[in-house]
């Protein structure tokens, strides 16, 4: 287990592994889990380590404190005025969000409270998201003269253009029920049922072939940006490669024999 520390006190990121699930918990509660450069670096390090860890099949992204994530650390941002710093900051954040979609494991956001700006982007970047019914979501940068341009990249790939633009230009928050209706969330549950809902979803995914999940996740993000004809050509090639895998042959044989499959990840 690797941890990143803001000081000699509490680590800013926690990691817990059990039953094929790695839980990464943002741990800057006093700062509402704002994405400082150190916190983003810690997340990047853990995700890169998880990428090649065959024992991990699912990643849960959680947070401690009164907010899930309040976006970028504005105090850190205002401590700088040079363009190279801002360029590096947003490139770092973009790389983190892309890494979430590029690792072979399925990443689930466990959203217990408010997620704003880059925090909402973090939720949108995850493969799946489950939220407490008290959670809220917003891209409020416009309220402080800073349009949420990078958050909109991930969020607009989850919800419709008109609703995205409304969130961007008004800065107003939407509740969890609305976020689910718009497609940002998979499901919404009472706060006291959040861990159960996330755990059940993660356990279902862990029971699948890790190879199949990795192939499918990569293919999903690759085809979704392609024209339909290109997407079909690409997906057909992926299906052909998938069919040649041992896990696919085992899964079909198990289905025909009416028995549980035994996955090898090959």
């Amino acid at each position: 287990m690797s941890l990143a520390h803001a000081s000699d006190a509490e680590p800013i990121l926690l990691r817990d592994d059990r039953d094929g699930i790695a839980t990464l918990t943002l741990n800057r509660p006093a700062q509402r889990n704002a994405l400082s450069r150190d916190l983003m670096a810690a997340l990047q390090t853990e995700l890169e380590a998880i990428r090649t860890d065959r024992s991990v099949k699912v990643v849960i992204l959680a947070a401690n404190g009164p907010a899930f994530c309040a976006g970028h650390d504005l105090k850190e941002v205002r401590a700088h005025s040079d363009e190279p710093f801002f360029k590096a900051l947003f490139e770092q954040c973009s790389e983190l969000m892309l890494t979430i979609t590029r690792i072979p494991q399925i990443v689930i956001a466990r959203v217990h409270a408010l997620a704003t700006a880059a925090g909402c982007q973090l939720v949108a970047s995850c493969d799946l998201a489950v939220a407490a019914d008290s959670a809220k979501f917003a891209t409020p940068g416009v309220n402080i003269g800073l349009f949420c341009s990078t958050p909109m990249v991930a969020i607009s790939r989850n919800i419709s253009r008109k609703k995205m633009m409304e969130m961007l230009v008004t800065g107003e928050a939407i509740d969890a029920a609305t976020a689910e209706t718009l497609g940002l969330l998979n499901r919404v549950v009472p706060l006291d049922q959040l861990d159960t809902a996330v755990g059940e979803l993660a356990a279902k995914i862990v029971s699948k072939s890790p190879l199949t999940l990795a192939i499918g996740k990569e293919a999903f993000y690759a085809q979704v940006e392609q024209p339909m004809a290109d997407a079909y050509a690409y997906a057909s090639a992926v299906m052909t490669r998938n069919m040649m895998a041992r896990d696919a042959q085992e899964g079909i044989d198990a289905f025909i024999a009416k028995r549980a499959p035994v996955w090898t990840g090959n």
Side-chain angles (χ1 to χ4, degrees):
M1 179 185 298
S2 57
L3 303 171
H5 294 260
S7 63
D8 293 331
E10 286 291 311
I12 59 176
L13 182 68
L14 306 174
R15 176 173 170 178
D16 178 68
D17 289 51
R18 62 185 68 190
D19 302 324
I21 302 167
T23 300
L24 301 179
T25 303
L26 310 183
N27 194 41
R28 301 185 73 210
Q31 295 78 29
R32 301 171 72 82
N33 298 307
L35 293 175
S36 64
R37 296 207 66 183
D38 284 345
L39 181 52
M40 288 193 290
L43 277 168
Q44 186 72 39
T45 297
E46 290 301 332
L47 291 170
E48 292 293 353
I50 287 169
R51 182 197 295 267
T52 55
D53 188 342
R54 289 174 63 90
S55 70
V56 178
K57 296 182 180 179
V58 173
V59 178
I60 295 173
L61 191 58
N64 288 329
F68 175 77
C69 180
H72 288 292
D73 189 326
L74 295 181
K75 289 184 178 180
E76 181 181 67
V77 169
R78 287 300 292 138
H80 298 267
S81 59
D82 54 301
E83 184 175 341
F85 173 84
F86 299 136
K87 183 175 185 292
L89 172 70
F90 295 119
E91 287 179 350
Q92 179 185 16
C93 184
S94 297
E95 182 61 26
L96 172 62
M97 301 302 168
L98 286 169
T99 298
I100 291 172
T101 65
R102 288 171 176 169
I103 65 172
Q105 295 86 354
I106 303 301
V107 183
I108 305 173
R110 175 201 177 276
V111 189
H112 72 289
L114 184 67
T116 62
C120 192
Q121 178 185 8
L122 192 60
V123 175
S125 297
C126 292
D127 304 306
L128 303 170
V130 181
D133 54 12
S134 54
K136 291 187 177 182
F137 306 84
T139 51
V142 69
N143 295 331
I144 58 171
L146 188 66
F147 205 80
C148 283
S149 298
T150 46
M152 76 179 177
V153 173
I155 304 169
S156 66
R157 283 162 168 74
N158 286 252
I159 71 176
S160 69
R161 294 185 180 187
K162 291 291 191 296
K163 290 298 184 181
M164 177 77 271
M165 187 60 77
E166 182 178 350
M167 289 180 67
L168 289 165
V169 300
T170 67
E172 294 178 351
I174 59 173
D175 60 25
T178 301
E180 181 184 22
T181 300
L182 295 180
L184 183 62
L185 303 174
N186 292 89
R187 59 197 65 171
V188 175
V189 297
L191 180 59
D192 61 2
Q193 297 177 25
L194 184 58
D195 284 330
T196 298
V198 173
E200 289 177 349
L201 181 58
K204 288 180 182 179
I205 297 168
V206 167
S207 71
K208 314 303 181 185
S209 160
L211 176 69
T212 302
L213 291 172
I215 290 173
K217 176 174 175 174
E218 179 183 19
F220 175 82
Y221 289 111
Q223 65 81 29
V224 75
E225 301 297 334
Q226 297 178 0
M228 187 175 292
D230 293 343
Y232 271 120
Y234 167 77
S236 294
V238 172
M239 284 290 289
T240 300
R241 176 162 57 92
N242 196 169
M243 282 295 299
M244 300 304 295
R246 291 182 182 178
D247 274 1
Q249 296 165 17
E250 163 64 11
I252 294 171
D253 289 346
F255 177 81
I256 293 172
K258 293 182 173 55
R259 60 173 175 80
V262 178
W263 308 123
T264 63
N266 298 300

